[in-house]
Each structure stands twice: as C-alpha cells, then as structure tokens.
Amino acid sequence: MKLGLHIADFTWPDGSARLGPRLAEIVSAADEAGFERISVMDHLWQIFGNPEAEMLEAYTALGFIAAHTKRAKLLTLVTGVTYRDPGLLAKAVTTLDVLSGGRAMLGIGAAWNEEESRGLGLFFPPTAERFERLEETLQICLRMFHGEEAAFEGKHYRLGRLLNHPLPLSKPHPPILIGGGGEKKTLRFVAKYADSCNLFDSPEIERKLDVLRQHCENEGRNYDDIEKTALLQLDPGEKGEKVDEILANATKLARLGFTIGHGMIPGVSDLSKIEIIRDQVVPAVESL
C-alpha cells in the first residue's frame, strides 16, 4: 500500500502571509517522505468547522504544489462536476499534467455542496442532472485526453471542437479517480470510465466493493484493473503514539484490496508529523 497526503485545512500559524511558503514546505516534505500522492479538496469555502477559515482554489493550488514537488501524483479529492465546464476542466488537468511532468490525475464526483455553490453563484442543478453531467464530463475529458477533436453533442453539453494541445504526458491519459460510494450510478461510472475509485472507510466498505465488482461484470471490465483507494486517518500523534492505529487500519484495507490510503494529518504544518509518518508508517505500509 502507498499513502496519499490530503490537504484540506489551510489555517496555519502566521496566517495568509506565510500560507504559500508553508504549503511549499509541507508538500516538499511529503514528497521526500514517500507520499505517493498529494491531493486537495475542490471547495471554495472551508467545509470543516468555520466556513470563513482559509481555503484555496484547487487547481491554482495544485499548480503551485507541482512546482514544489518532484514525484508525487497530484489531484483533487474530488472536483465537483458542476464547478467547471468539462472543456475547461480537461484543459486544466492537461496543463497540470504537462507542467508537472506527467503527474496529474483527474479526481471527480457529482458535487454536493449546495450552500457553497449558491453563495458564490455556481451552477448547482438537481442530483439527477448532476450525475448526467458527470457522465458527459467523463466522456468529454477522455476524448480530449486522447486528442479526439470531433464535436460533442450531449444532453447538457455541446462542444464544437475538442481541441486540446498540448496533449497530456500521462499515458494512456491522466488517471481518472471517481470519488463516492453511490451504488447505482457512482460505482457504475467507476466500472465504465475510471481507473480508480475512492471510498470512505466505513462498515459498508466490503459491500461497496461487491457492488463495484458486479458493475464491472456488467460492463465487461476487469475488476482487478481498477485501483481501490480509501480515506485513511493519518494522525500519528504528537510523538508517534498513534502509529499502531494507522497501521492496523491500513492492514485491514490492504487485505480488502486497497492499494492507496488518502489521509489528512492533523497539524500538518508541524513537519515533525510528516517525519513520523516517513519513518514509522511509510516503510510499514509499503510492505503490506
């Protein structure tokens, strides 16, 4: 198993004046520590606690992170499909992939935060329409990643020419991760379009995998070709006293077939937390 660092809280010492340099320190340390991925939320308001707390726009932040890392893959967990039109989204991910040397992924979902969307005037249609738009967006992004320029005529999106130059460096395309465990649509879209899924570590997680397996069978897809990732709590404690808890949870997920654990480190601006993960967690989980 490999680890992904998920950065969702930007309220750090010294405030916004030091936010950029501190983020650079964090992601550089994580990259060197062996984190396989670095992700950010695609939210414009903070969703944990106070909505007025610091929050950065996702793709601007990922571009900054790309400049301060060398090896980790970069993605959102996950982009709300209605936040960007699909042509612009495909271009943003392609740009990130090219400038990072082929390290971008497209993390995407159907969006859920109506309060944030209404507050900032973002488009937020009903649930059924959001899932329809998600499927069309997946189709458009895949075509643009592969250089297919023919017009797209869907129910919700009509694009005259899918021009996308330069093409991504990642082959066959930037990996697509779909977040969420919805059994009728989300996991079906994983089976049909995605390279990875991302699930919550909940009592239902084994059943979600069974549902995904059935969707793969229905779509003629090899279940083992889909990477299984899950949210994993990465709190090592102040002096490493919670490392055993991390390893126990990681072991349980690895036995179910998960190969990536994405997690937040509480107090991540204290780089000693990353050092604990580097020394006591990364080597252990890589042996699972």
Side-chain angles (χ1 to χ4, degrees), residues 7 15 31 38 89 94 98 112 162 216 223 229 236 265 280 285:
I7 304 174
D31 197 45
I38 298 173
L89 176 61
T94 297
V98 169
W112 61 268
L162 304 186
C216 286
Y223 171 82
T229 81
I265 301 176
Q280 300 184 43
V285 300

Side-chain angles (χ1 to χ4, degrees), residues 50-194:
N50 183 358
E52 288 81 17
E54 288 83 350
M55 178 51 59
L56 300 179
E57 191 279 322
Y59 286 96
T60 309
L62 287 173
F64 178 88
I65 292 169
H68 293 280
T69 55
K70 296 178 180 179
R71 50 170 301 281
K73 289 190 175 296
L74 309 171
L75 70 155
T76 60
L77 277 179
V78 287
T79 286
V81 68
T82 54
Y83 283 20
R84 297 164 189 82
D85 282 343
L88 177 60
L89 176 61
K91 190 67 177 180
V93 175
T94 297
T95 299
L96 179 64
D97 194 64
V98 169
L99 296 184
S100 68
R103 295 188 286 129
M105 296 180 65
L106 169 58
I108 194 166
W112 61 268
N113 196 325
E114 182 172 4
E115 182 181 11
E116 174 182 77
S117 298
R118 301 300 184 204
L120 294 180
L122 301 178
F123 183 58
F124 195 82
T127 302
E129 181 176 335
R130 297 201 308 278
F131 276 97
E132 291 172 351
R133 289 177 179 272
L134 175 58
E135 183 163 26
E136 289 188 16
T137 294
L138 290 163
Q139 294 168 352
I140 291 166
C141 286
L142 279 168
R143 294 182 192 188
M144 290 182 66
F145 290 159
H146 287 281
E148 299 176 21
E149 297 185 14
F152 180 89
E153 290 288 335
K155 179 179 178 180
H156 300 287
Y157 297 112
R158 294 167 180 81
L159 287 72
R161 183 186 180 192
L162 304 186
L163 179 63
N164 187 32
H165 286 186
L167 291 174
L169 301 181
S170 296
K171 301 302 178 187
H173 56 254
I176 295 174
L177 177 149
I178 298 178
E183 298 181 8
K184 293 182 179 180
K185 294 182 180 180
T186 301
L187 293 178
R188 178 169 63 84
F189 290 170
V190 170
K192 189 171 183 179
Y193 299 106

Side-chain angles (χ1 to χ4, degrees), residues 4-9 35 37-42 48 75-78 231 234 262-265 268:
L5 176 62
H6 185 50
I7 304 174
D9 179 6
F35 281 87
R37 294 178 186 173
I38 298 173
S39 59
V40 296
M41 295 196 299
D42 190 20
F48 296 115
L75 70 155
T76 60
L77 277 179
V78 287
L231 297 176
L234 292 179
H262 297 277
M264 295 182 287
I265 301 176
V268 70

